Amino acid sequence: MLTALTEEGKMVHLIYSKNIKYLSILRKNHSFYCPQCQEEVILKIGKIKIPHFSHKSNSTCTNSEPESEVHLQGKVDLYKWLKHIGFSVEIEKYLMEIRQRPDLFVRKNGKEYAIEFQCSPIQYKDIKRRSLGYFSLNIIPIWILGGEPYQKKFQLINNLFQLSDFQWAFTQYNRQNGMHIYSYSPKTKRVILLSQLTPITTRKIFAYQSDYPLSSLDFPFDFANDQLSIIDYDFWFYEKKNWIQNKMLFAKNLNDPFLSEVYHNKHSPLLLPPFIGIPVPFMTICKTNSVIWQYYLWLDGIESLSAGDKINLMNLRRNFEKRVKNGCIKLRDMPLIQIDFKNHMIYHYLKHLSFLGIIKELEKGSFIMNKSNSFPNNIEEVQRMEVELSKKLDIKS
Ligand SMILES: [Zn+2]
């Protein structure tokens, strides 16, 4: 912590105190207490970390996890930056009603923001609990990950990253950047934006990474990103095939609910048409692979239709909900996203199908079958369709 109370109840901030001699005298003459739990805390003046307060090792305070140098430095940097650009900002403000202490508390134009600079992995349920706490007071939580946390998967494929469940939980949404995650590196003093998160598998994603010097930014962050084309379709279809083959290999066929449904409907998992399992906006909400949820959408509401039949969006949505309810489709836990994007995702999938000529959009939101579709008969046909589809989607994006 960078703040504590003295025995007289005076708040001590360590943000600007660099003078070790002064801090040593302060430490000699005062005791310090945690503003949250009132336990006595220790003023630590070391050579490695910046000066900070720390709970004793037997503390039960929820705020007593040891803080890393990155965390302390990040808090100081963000605080100074917000002050510098003219904001009212408080560090480690204790919000009594919800018993939480955001790293930074910011007011702007009548809105309140809680900034959490998170460097160590924490449980999903804690991210959720703390975010809901802020939402309950009409405070907008902004979570920033510490360091440069995203693992680049392969050097040869652009825009490919790997995210852990912990990192996924920090997904936020806005119009410019789609689903995105912020991080900040105190070492480089740069804010990193990972935008347009597009899951290939549970962990592997296509995304666009950009970074900006903290000093050049305004708050709240507003990155005007062009919607660039980030998807390598050759790689997409390669991964999709791998995923299906692995599933067939390891899922003990009929015990796997998805595969058994595919076989039951006289389809072959390797001969699904390429438009089942394509990247579409908002699909981040699904933890389940796009092959599965798009297959179910198709099977439950589209396959039986003939050319000219109307596709009922409400019906698709209902079927989708049913599949979620019985566990066939799993949604991703993203506590910072308060909007239900299921309709958006389904609509965008239909838009893609209509772009590919499989269905037709008569007016916004109203689709009909363009032609009866037959599934490919062999691998060569699948590959031919994939090449065609990649070309079309490449032009689209
Ligand atoms: Zn405490």
Side-chain angles (χ1 to χ4, degrees):
M1 309 187 288
L2 294 165
T3 54
L5 296 166
T6 63
E7 64 281 359
E8 300 111 13
K10 229 182 96 193
M11 188 67 88
V12 182
H13 290 255
L14 297 177
I15 300 158
Y16 292 102
S17 344
K18 282 258 158 60
N19 187 327
I20 293 190
K21 209 166 154 196
Y22 164 79
L23 291 175
S24 307
I25 297 167
L26 193 73
R27 182 163 67 179
K28 222 185 217 163
N29 297 325
H30 292 279
S31 322
F32 305 98
Y33 301 88
C34 169
Q36 186 172 335
C37 67
Q38 320 297 329
E39 281 172 25
E40 190 170 350
V41 291
I42 308 157
L43 170 52
K44 290 201 168 158
I45 317 165
K47 288 213 175 74
I48 300 161
K49 286 190 193 178
I50 52 178
H52 62 283
F53 296 103
S54 171
H55 283 77
K56 293 177 180 172
S57 56
N58 58 355
S59 166
T60 54
C61 180
T62 52
N63 202 31
S64 65
E65 320 154 36
E67 290 173 283
S68 65
E69 171 65 9
V70 177
H71 185 233
L72 292 164
Q73 188 61 54
K75 267 201 283 198
V76 170
D77 289 354
L78 292 166
Y79 176 89
K80 288 181 177 170
W81 160 66
L82 287 162
K83 276 273 182 206
H84 184 75
I85 56 175
F87 283 88
S88 150
V89 44
E90 289 171 74
I91 193 156
E92 297 167 1
K93 179 186 172 73
Y94 185 50
L95 303 166
M96 191 85 80
E97 300 98 312
I98 53 173
R99 300 167 70 189
Q100 283 175 224
R101 260 160 49 114
D103 289 327
L104 299 162
F105 181 78
V106 186
R107 285 196 183 87
K108 187 194 184 184
N109 301 338
K111 282 189 181 156
E112 294 179 327
Y113 302 87
I115 300 180
E116 294 273 13
F117 182 56
Q118 193 65 37
C119 295
S120 54
I122 58 168
Q123 298 265 323
Y124 163 77
K125 65 175 188 336
D126 291 323
I127 303 170
K128 181 164 187 163
R129 180 183 50 78
R130 277 152 70 178
S131 301
L132 289 178
Y134 297 133
F135 283 127
S136 75
L137 296 183
N138 262 325
I139 297 169
I140 303 162
I142 294 181
W143 291 78
I144 302 173
L145 279 168
E148 292 172 43
Y150 322 113
Q151 211 179 323
K152 271 227 166 197
K153 207 41 188 136
F154 299 107
Q155 302 268 304
L156 291 173
I157 306 290
N158 289 327
N159 305 315
L160 189 65
F161 298 86
Q162 187 158 324
L163 289 188
S164 65
D165 281 352
F166 161 71
Q167 291 164 337
W168 268 122
F170 293 88
T171 308
Q172 317 186 33
Y173 173 80
N174 67 28
R175 210 173 265 267
Q176 297 103 295
N177 308 126
M179 304 284 183
H180 63 275
I181 302 175
Y182 299 122
S183 62
Y184 172 68
S185 164
K187 211 167 89 190
T188 59
K189 312 282 181 214
R190 293 176 87 87
V191 173
I192 302 139
L193 169 72
L194 197 66
S195 58
Q196 300 179 56
L197 308 182
T198 311
I200 306 165
T201 58
T202 321
R203 296 253 157 84
K204 221 180 282 176
I205 62 164
F206 278 120
Y208 185 70
Q209 181 175 307
S210 45
D211 64 297
Y212 312 82
L214 179 63
S215 58
S216 72
L217 297 175
D218 198 1
F219 180 83
F221 298 135
D222 178 19
F223 302 104
N225 243 5
D226 299 328
Q227 291 282 320
L228 298 158
S229 161
I230 53 163
I231 292 158
D232 178 327
Y233 284 97
D234 285 344
F235 186 74
W236 181 275
F237 286 121
Y238 164 80
E239 283 283 312
K240 183 173 149 183
K241 200 169 83 202
N242 263 351
W243 179 84
I244 293 173
Q245 281 172 341
N246 276 328
K247 198 162 184 60
M248 291 168 73
L249 207 56
F250 297 112
K252 291 191 196 117
N253 287 328
L254 289 176
N255 289 333
D256 181 87
F258 169 68
L259 289 180
S260 78
E261 190 128 9
V262 170
Y263 294 130
H264 178 80
N265 288 286
K266 307 211 164 35
H267 294 139
S268 158
L270 288 171
L271 298 179
L272 296 177
F275 57 80
I276 289 177
I278 52 172
V280 292
F282 300 102
M283 69 193 273
T284 313
I285 63 166
C286 285
K287 194 169 182 179
T288 295
N289 193 288
S290 57
V291 173
I292 298 185
W293 68 259
Q294 290 175 17
Y295 177 76
Y296 286 143
L297 270 187
W298 180 265
L299 184 73
D300 296 342
I302 307 176
E303 205 203 8
S304 60
L305 302 178
S306 315
D309 284 355
K310 196 169 180 292
I311 295 163
N312 188 329
L313 252 172
M314 285 273 284
N315 209 10
L316 291 189
R317 165 70 191 244
R318 252 195 315 271
N319 294 334
F320 185 87
E321 292 285 3
K322 251 188 248 165
R323 292 282 183 181
V324 171
K325 215 170 162 193
N326 65 22
C328 293
I329 297 172
K330 288 198 176 62
L331 299 179
R332 188 168 263 118
D333 290 323
M334 296 187 292
L336 302 182
I337 292 180
Q338 298 265 295
I339 305 167
D340 183 346
F341 283 122
K342 289 189 206 92
N343 281 344
H344 296 66
M345 185 189 71
I346 295 170
Y347 174 70
H348 278 277
Y349 181 54
L350 295 183
K351 283 287 274 190
H352 275 67
L353 291 184
S354 127
F355 176 80
L356 295 169
I358 294 147
I359 63 175
K360 199 169 164 186
E361 187 169 26
L362 298 177
E363 50 188 291
K364 195 177 153 65
S366 165
F367 297 89
I368 57 162
M369 283 305 276
N370 211 11
K371 50 184 180 212
S372 307
N373 261 280
S374 52
F375 276 30
N377 289 310
N378 51 50
I379 292 285
E380 289 72 33
E381 207 178 328
V382 173
Q383 281 165 348
R384 212 169 42 239
M385 285 170 82
E386 277 175 6
V387 172
E388 228 173 274
L389 193 139
S390 305
K391 263 192 214 145
K392 279 191 183 169
L393 291 177
D394 254 337
I395 296 163
K396 187 179 197 289
S397 54

